[in-house]
Amino acid sequence: MEPPAGPASTRHVPWNRLVLAVSLLTFWTPPTTAQLTIETVPPRAAEGSDVLLLAHNVTKNPLGYAWFRGETVDHSQLITSYRVDINVTTNGPTHSGREALYPNGTLLIQSVTQKDTGSYMLLVTKNDLQTERQTGHLHVYPVLPRPIITSNNSNPWEHEDTVVLTCGPETQNTSYMWWISNQSLPKSTRLELSEDKRTLTVFNVTRKDTGPYVCEARNPVGISRSDPFTLDVLYPVARPPLQASNTTVPEHEGPVVLSRLTDETGVSIRWLFKGQSLLLADRMTLSSDNSTLTIDPISREDAGGYQCEVSNRGNSRKSGPLRLRVTWQENARALDVGAITGIVIGVLLVLMPLAVLGCFIFLHSSCLTRY
């Protein structure tokens, strides 16, 4: 008879596997629950917009939530709280009427203002009365008004004055940029920006510095540009020389064109005749820029001295007189001599028969008296 079987022997485990198992037990720890976080949406808020403080990774089945202004649990800074099990919301001392707390712990702030900028803390109370807290941050930026460019000198003189242009109004957290004639600022020793770039200084202005100038204000939530601003640079105008297509013209002929030789821009032009403002007749036309006067046809009334006066807001200059001669006077004199001769001859032709007749009557009367 076989002896009874003994106890079952233990299965042999290789040493290297045992070392591996011990190592895994030593270094492996159960995965931790994801940490509570607060996300601000949108991350950069414009004044007047609505903002959500989103609560992420909130513990399951919490007992309640509470939102505070600041970074500590201070009941004087309580905004609002929510008890999940009884579905009750309680507003605190800092509740403005614009806040709403959702059942998932998210806080809505409507129509935010710059005073809403700051820290917000969420306190989550778990079922075991343990708490978890996390802080979010809200930064509210103003809606940028349209910038306005102002100048310290409305009528600077060329090569003499320095002009300071300022982009306003000043707002916080705002950067500024400038353009001249739709181009970024060129590198020039006559142009200087202030440290905050709100002020542009133009040294020794010239007529080429008229602009237009545009300033741009930027903050994290918007961009706004000013209306174009143009400098009115004053400069002395030169005496305008005149020329004429012809200075001696027979009456009823033409045209005669009078024009100034310089093409100076930014000036107004006035024509004078015999020292007085020219009254345009139907026979006269001016070019679109008033720099050319055309007379067609010429009349004897057009004879005399013409001048061109150019002016800007700084000063004015007149040209020397240019005299126009109409030759109707010489033709009229020759015509008068011929007319007079003809009249004399005509009168003589009429008077001679009358003289002969008178003489005959006189002789006849004398003869009758004698006899």
Side-chain angles (χ1 to χ4, degrees):
M1 182 174 190
E2 293 180 0
S9 63
T10 303
R11 184 179 177 182
H12 176 71
V13 178
W15 175 253
N16 58 346
R17 290 187 181 182
L18 182 60
V19 171
L20 177 60
V22 172
S23 300
L24 290 174
L25 289 173
T26 302
F27 295 101
W28 178 85
T29 57
T32 58
T33 304
Q35 185 178 6
L36 175 67
T37 60
I38 304 298
E39 178 187 7
T40 304
V41 180
R44 297 183 179 94
E47 194 167 19
S49 64
D50 296 344
V51 176
L52 286 172
L53 296 176
L54 292 175
H56 294 293
N57 304 321
V58 178
T59 185
K60 292 183 179 181
N61 302 318
L63 185 62
Y65 310 100
W67 278 96
F68 298 85
R69 284 297 303 260
E71 299 184 6
T72 60
V73 177
D74 182 352
H75 288 282
S76 67
Q77 296 299 311
L78 176 67
I79 302 172
T80 185
S81 63
Y82 175 69
R83 181 72 179 268
V84 176
D85 56 344
I86 58 176
N87 191 26
V88 172
T89 300
T90 304
N91 296 326
T94 60
H95 190 274
S96 67
R98 296 176 291 114
E99 297 86 0
L101 179 55
Y102 291 101
N104 63 357
T106 292
L107 181 67
L108 168 67
I109 307 176
Q110 298 173 305
S111 302
V112 293
T113 70
Q114 293 187 64
K115 292 182 179 180
D116 295 322
T117 296
S119 299
Y120 293 78
M121 193 194 71
L122 170 62
L123 178 69
V124 180
T125 303
K126 303 178 184 181
N127 281 326
D128 59 2
L129 300 183
Q130 296 294 314
T131 60
E132 187 177 12
R133 65 186 67 182
Q134 187 56 266
T135 302
H137 302 279
L138 172 60
H139 199 132
V140 181
Y141 297 88
V143 176
L144 292 173
R146 180 184 291 272
I148 298 175
I149 298 176
T150 57
S151 172
N152 70 324
N153 192 338
S154 57
N155 300 115
W157 275 94
E158 185 176 32
H159 303 305
E160 294 182 12
D161 292 333
T162 292
V163 175
V164 179
L165 302 178
T166 303
C167 184
E170 183 178 9
T171 55
Q172 295 181 349
N173 301 306
T174 303
S175 60
Y176 300 88
M177 296 181 67
W178 289 84
W179 280 267
I180 302 178
S181 300
N182 297 321
Q183 302 292 326
S184 58
L185 290 184
K187 291 183 179 180
S188 173
T189 56
R190 294 191 303 106
L191 297 177
E192 182 179 277
L193 279 173
S194 61
E195 185 176 353
D196 61 1
K197 299 184 180 180
R198 281 189 61 233
T199 300
L200 174 64
T201 303
V202 186
F203 297 96
N204 299 322
V205 294
T206 72
R207 68 192 73 178
K208 294 181 180 180
D209 297 323
T210 55
Y213 295 80
V214 172
C215 76
E216 178 185 275
R218 291 176 173 238
N219 69 8
V221 295
I223 299 174
S224 184
R225 286 192 176 188
S226 70
D227 291 328
F229 180 88
T230 302
L231 280 178
D232 185 11
V233 180
L234 304 182
Y235 53 90
V237 294
R239 187 174 184 178
L242 283 183
Q243 69 174 6
S245 59
N246 198 345
T247 56
T248 303
V249 186
E251 188 179 21
H252 306 306
E253 294 189 12
V256 172
V257 179
L258 307 177
S259 58
R260 69 180 184 115
L261 295 178
T262 57
D263 58 352
E264 197 167 23
T265 59
V267 297
S268 59
I269 302 171
R270 184 169 71 106
W271 286 87
L272 299 98
F273 177 58
K274 296 180 181 179
Q276 303 295 323
S277 292
L278 174 66
L279 298 177
L280 289 179
D282 294 338
R283 299 168 289 100
M284 299 176 180
T285 57
L286 285 172
S287 62
S288 59
D289 61 355
N290 289 353
S291 63
T292 301
L293 171 65
T294 303
I295 309 173
D296 186 22
I298 290 293
S299 169
R300 66 189 70 182
E301 300 172 353
D302 301 326
Y306 291 81
Q307 287 177 284
C308 176
E309 181 184 57
V310 297
S311 60
N312 61 15
R313 297 183 65 180
N315 66 342
S316 63
R317 295 293 298 274
K318 295 179 182 178
S319 69
L322 188 153
R323 297 199 170 275
L324 179 63
R325 185 184 178 201
V326 181
T327 57
W328 63 271
Q329 295 174 344
E330 296 179 1
N331 294 337
R333 190 177 302 115
L335 179 62
D336 289 345
V337 172
I340 293 171
T341 303
I343 291 171
V344 171
I345 293 174
V347 170
L348 291 176
L349 291 175
V350 172
L351 293 178
M352 283 181 65
L354 293 176
V356 172
L357 178 61
C359 183
F360 174 76
I361 294 172
F362 175 77
L363 293 175
H364 182 67
S365 299
S366 297
C367 290
L368 290 176
T369 302
R370 185 178 298 177
Y371 293 103

